[in-house]
Amino acid sequence: MILIVDDRPENIFSLRSILELHSFPVDTASSGEEALKKTLKQKYALIILDVQMPGMDGFEVAEILSGNSNTKDIPIIFLSAVSTEKKFITKGYNSGAIDYIIKPIDPDILLLKVKTFMRLYEQNRELNLMQENLRSEIEFRKKTEQQIQEKAQELHGILEAIPQIAFTATSTGLIDFVNDNWYLYSDSITKFIENHPDDLPVKEQWNEVILSGEALETVVRICRLSDKKYHYHLLTVIPVKENGTIVKWVGTFTDINEQKLAVKRKDEFLTIASHELKTPLTSIKAYVQLLDAITPAQNDKKPYVDRTLLQVNKLDSLINDLLDISRIESGKLKFDVRETDFDTVTERTLEMLQQIYRGVSIRRDGTAGGIKVLANEMRLEQVLINFISNAVKYTPAAKAVDVITRIQPDGKLYFAIKDYGIGIPEKDRESIFNKFFRVSDAESTPQGLGIGLYICSEILRRHNADFGVESELGKGSTFWFTLPVFKQ
Ligand code: ADP
């Protein structure tokens, strides 16, 4: 908007007409005082100011405008008929004008000047706006930086107080803080704590974490400087994100040496105990089997022999499971795989199980159609037995178990045992294949050690199988695995 200030209405009229004809929005004031009042309420892009006015003249108005921060940047063109002398023109410029036009006005020249000043004003305004934005951006960054620094200090305070080894790193993985405990295992912030030469180097894992952006949790053995002994630690590294971007990494090493050693002692005890039990049990089993063979069916002692054999077999399979666990732990669970007809193994196992679970109907749904897999028959059988025994065990008064076999569209063999039993709570499904895991609602579940599924998972892993469980609480569970088909 352009403000025309002139005490003579005819001057205002002619100026206004010229400007409006060229689509410039125009406002007018008939005195210096009125012009000042208007500039308080409205922002003008240009003021065309008459010099000779009664009361406050144009020079005074210009001086006041240039002294006010809100109006100092408005360009002013002075119009004068009489003050054409150099000293008046100089005065005009000194009081804040950017141009001076002598009457009578040449409309073309006036328009050219107005257009130029308007454009300049616009550019100036944009520049100011950009500057303003830049200033607030800088302010914002400074503030955020300060906040981050405060937060980092707070975090470092906490990390100093905890018993773990703790460190933080920049988003690119450069360690920028370590707590005092760090120095028990490394002599410098720039030297990452080293781990046992037999384990995957922590430094490598750390680099991978930074690249992937994923959190890490791993057990490592790290060497304490004071006694040069390796101690088990749980290394946890998590990314700290702001607006979805990683701004920092926080890591801790928690000493789990005692727990690890206790578990090791327990595992050793289990191994020794099961080995010690296995030898006498093998003799007992042999004698009971002999007794069973020589006791005629009609002998009134036969039921006792049968029951003894049943319990001995149970004990035998329990000890075998415990031995398997210690073999898995020591990496000694070894078995060969060879080309195996899947249906043959299934049929044989189901027949045997049907003899044991006489009241339960073990129903087959589909076959593998003679497909061969690379498997260890005995171990595969062990998985089937475990899945089916569990299906019966965790179904009160079980009547039926479904054995599903399919060939998947991807060509893999799908095998599943579906029961109609108690089901597994969702929170427990993920841990169900873990060692010694049992569903927490122990009251309502039959007794067990929680090792069968762990052994199955290990066997299946060695067969390159995928496996899992689907379940609905109170309705039943489906334990499944898929196996690659053997092709010659
Ligand atoms: P165990 O049966 O000796 O406890 P497993 O490793 O075979 O050990 O099973 C682990 C746990 O998984 C069981 O304690 C039980 O809570 C749960 N589970 C296994 N199979 C089933 C099933 N078919 N239905 C419901 N729960 C099951």
Side-chain angles (χ1 to χ4, degrees):
M1 173 94 66
I2 301 170
L3 179 64
I4 303 169
V5 190
D6 204 314
D7 57 320
R8 303 175 74 152
E10 64 275 19
N11 284 353
I12 288 188
F13 179 76
S14 69
L15 270 175
R16 181 181 207 141
S17 311
I18 299 169
L19 293 174
E20 283 187 344
L21 197 66
H22 289 83
S23 311
F24 288 112
V26 171
D27 195 4
T28 61
S30 55
S31 68
E33 290 83 354
E34 191 189 352
L36 288 177
K37 264 188 215 155
K38 287 204 164 184
T39 56
L40 291 178
K41 291 189 196 130
Q42 165 84 38
K43 259 199 150 346
Y44 294 102
L46 176 68
I47 298 176
I48 300 175
L49 188 55
D50 186 23
V51 176
Q52 288 80 31
M53 289 187 290
M56 196 182 271
D57 72 8
F59 296 138
E60 285 175 79
V61 176
E63 257 166 46
I64 295 173
L65 289 175
S66 66
N68 183 329
S69 62
N70 282 331
T71 54
K72 70 176 178 8
D73 293 327
I74 309 175
I76 298 169
I77 300 177
F78 275 129
L79 282 182
S80 176
V82 284
S83 310
T84 54
E85 279 176 38
K86 196 175 160 195
K87 69 169 187 189
F88 283 114
I89 295 177
T90 315
K91 189 174 180 195
Y93 280 114
N94 285 342
S95 59
I98 55 165
D99 213 336
Y100 207 98
I101 295 181
I102 316 290
K103 288 180 190 172
I105 301 161
D106 176 336
D108 290 337
I109 300 285
L110 176 77
L111 273 173
L112 274 176
K113 291 193 173 194
V114 166
K115 271 184 197 159
T116 310
F117 288 134
M118 288 291 278
R119 199 171 54 238
L120 276 175
Y121 173 80
E122 221 19 73
Q123 284 170 350
N124 204 18
R125 210 175 58 90
E126 273 168 22
L127 265 172
N128 284 342
L129 208 70
M130 270 159 69
Q131 205 178 7
E132 195 50 48
N133 285 346
L134 219 66
R135 204 172 292 136
S136 56
E137 172 78 21
I138 291 170
E139 273 305 303
F140 175 74
R141 284 192 184 197
K142 263 196 204 156
K143 223 165 149 187
T144 329
E145 227 163 77
Q146 196 185 342
Q147 274 172 352
I148 291 178
Q149 229 157 9
E150 278 169 15
K151 268 193 209 164
Q153 263 169 6
E154 201 178 313
L155 178 68
H156 293 167
I158 296 169
L159 294 181
E160 276 299 0
I162 60 173
Q164 281 98 333
I165 303 166
F167 60 94
T168 65
T170 61
S171 57
T172 54
L174 190 73
I175 295 186
D176 56 3
F177 166 85
V178 294
N179 69 359
D180 277 350
N181 295 332
W182 174 275
Y183 295 105
L184 298 172
Y185 290 84
S186 167
D187 49 21
S188 152
I189 182 172
T190 53
K191 210 164 123 203
F192 205 89
I193 291 177
E194 276 177 26
N195 59 329
H196 199 282
D198 290 352
D199 298 342
L200 194 64
V202 182
K203 185 91 195 18
E204 244 173 63
Q205 297 192 54
W206 165 247
N207 289 340
E208 267 174 37
V209 162
I210 302 297
L211 282 180
S212 72
E214 302 280 323
L216 168 78
E217 195 175 283
T218 181
V219 175
V220 289
R221 283 179 285 174
I222 53 175
C223 184
R224 193 156 62 188
L225 296 180
S226 62
D227 55 6
K228 296 272 173 273
K229 278 193 178 146
Y230 284 94
H231 290 247
Y232 280 100
H233 278 75
L234 179 72
L235 167 62
T236 315
V237 183
I238 50 159
V240 179
K241 292 187 180 174
E242 236 159 66
N243 303 325
T245 340
I246 296 174
V247 289
K248 221 166 193 25
W249 289 92
V250 181
T252 53
F253 287 90
T254 309
D255 193 335
I256 52 163
N257 209 44
E258 268 313 305
Q259 292 97 305
K260 269 278 170 188
L261 294 183
V263 170
K264 221 167 146 190
R265 281 196 290 271
K266 182 210 68 193
D267 285 345
E268 277 165 9
F269 168 77
L270 273 182
T271 311
I272 295 166
S274 30
H275 270 291
E276 291 299 312
L277 288 170
K278 182 77 185 167
T279 322
L281 184 68
T282 310
S283 306
I284 296 172
K285 196 173 161 184
Y287 285 122
V288 179
Q289 276 170 340
L290 182 66
L291 202 58
D292 186 49
I294 60 172
T295 311
Q298 57 277 26
N299 190 314
D300 59 351
K301 309 281 184 316
K302 181 77 173 169
Y304 302 119
V305 178
D306 284 347
R307 268 175 242 165
T308 311
L309 189 58
L310 185 77
Q311 296 306 325
V312 166
N313 280 338
K314 271 192 187 171
L315 196 57
D316 189 41
S317 102
L318 190 67
I319 287 171
N320 283 336
D321 277 355
L322 287 175
L323 282 170
D324 273 349
I325 291 258
S326 47
R327 284 188 197 112
I328 292 171
E329 295 302 305
S330 57
K332 287 181 190 149
L333 183 76
K334 294 203 173 81
F335 51 79
D336 298 328
V337 288
R338 58 165 65 106
E339 188 182 343
T340 306
D341 186 289
F342 189 80
D343 282 329
T344 310
V345 179
T346 313
E347 274 309 319
R348 195 180 55 224
T349 316
L350 296 188
E351 229 169 78
M352 187 260 293
L353 287 168
Q354 191 63 82
Q355 289 300 315
I356 299 171
Y357 303 116
R358 284 173 201 268
V360 182
S361 154
I362 301 177
R363 306 182 295 215
R364 284 211 74 179
D365 173 356
T367 70
I371 260 174
K372 305 276 192 299
V373 291
L374 262 190
N376 180 291
E377 282 196 27
M378 203 190 82
R379 292 295 180 178
L380 193 60
E381 204 177 289
Q382 192 177 347
V383 174
L384 267 52
I385 293 174
N386 225 299
F387 279 7
I388 295 177
S389 310
N390 277 351
V392 177
K393 182 171 162 189
Y394 296 104
T395 306
K399 290 203 172 54
V401 169
D402 289 325
V403 180
I404 305 156
T405 318
R406 305 256 186 275
I407 301 297
Q408 293 188 151
D410 64 2
K412 282 189 177 172
L413 175 92
Y414 170 89
F415 182 83
I417 304 295
K418 183 175 169 65
D419 68 53
Y420 302 88
I422 57 174
I424 300 156
E426 196 172 348
K427 66 173 173 45
D428 292 328
R429 273 173 227 159
E430 222 175 78
S431 328
I432 204 95
F433 291 97
N434 290 353
K435 190 169 55 167
F436 300 126
F437 182 86
R438 306 208 69 232
V439 169
S440 40
D441 189 9
E443 298 274 301
S444 62
T445 47
Q447 280 192 337
L449 284 182
I451 50 177
L453 287 181
Y454 171 67
I455 296 169
C456 289
S457 70
E458 203 53 35
I459 294 173
L460 288 170
R461 243 176 243 128
R462 304 283 176 94
H463 281 83
N464 295 323
D466 288 325
F467 55 89
V469 62
E470 279 143 29
S471 186
E472 204 176 329
L473 204 59
K475 297 233 164 112
S477 311
T478 303
F479 281 83
W480 60 268
F481 63 79
T482 61
L483 271 179
V485 167
F486 176 69
K487 289 192 189 88
Q488 258 178 334

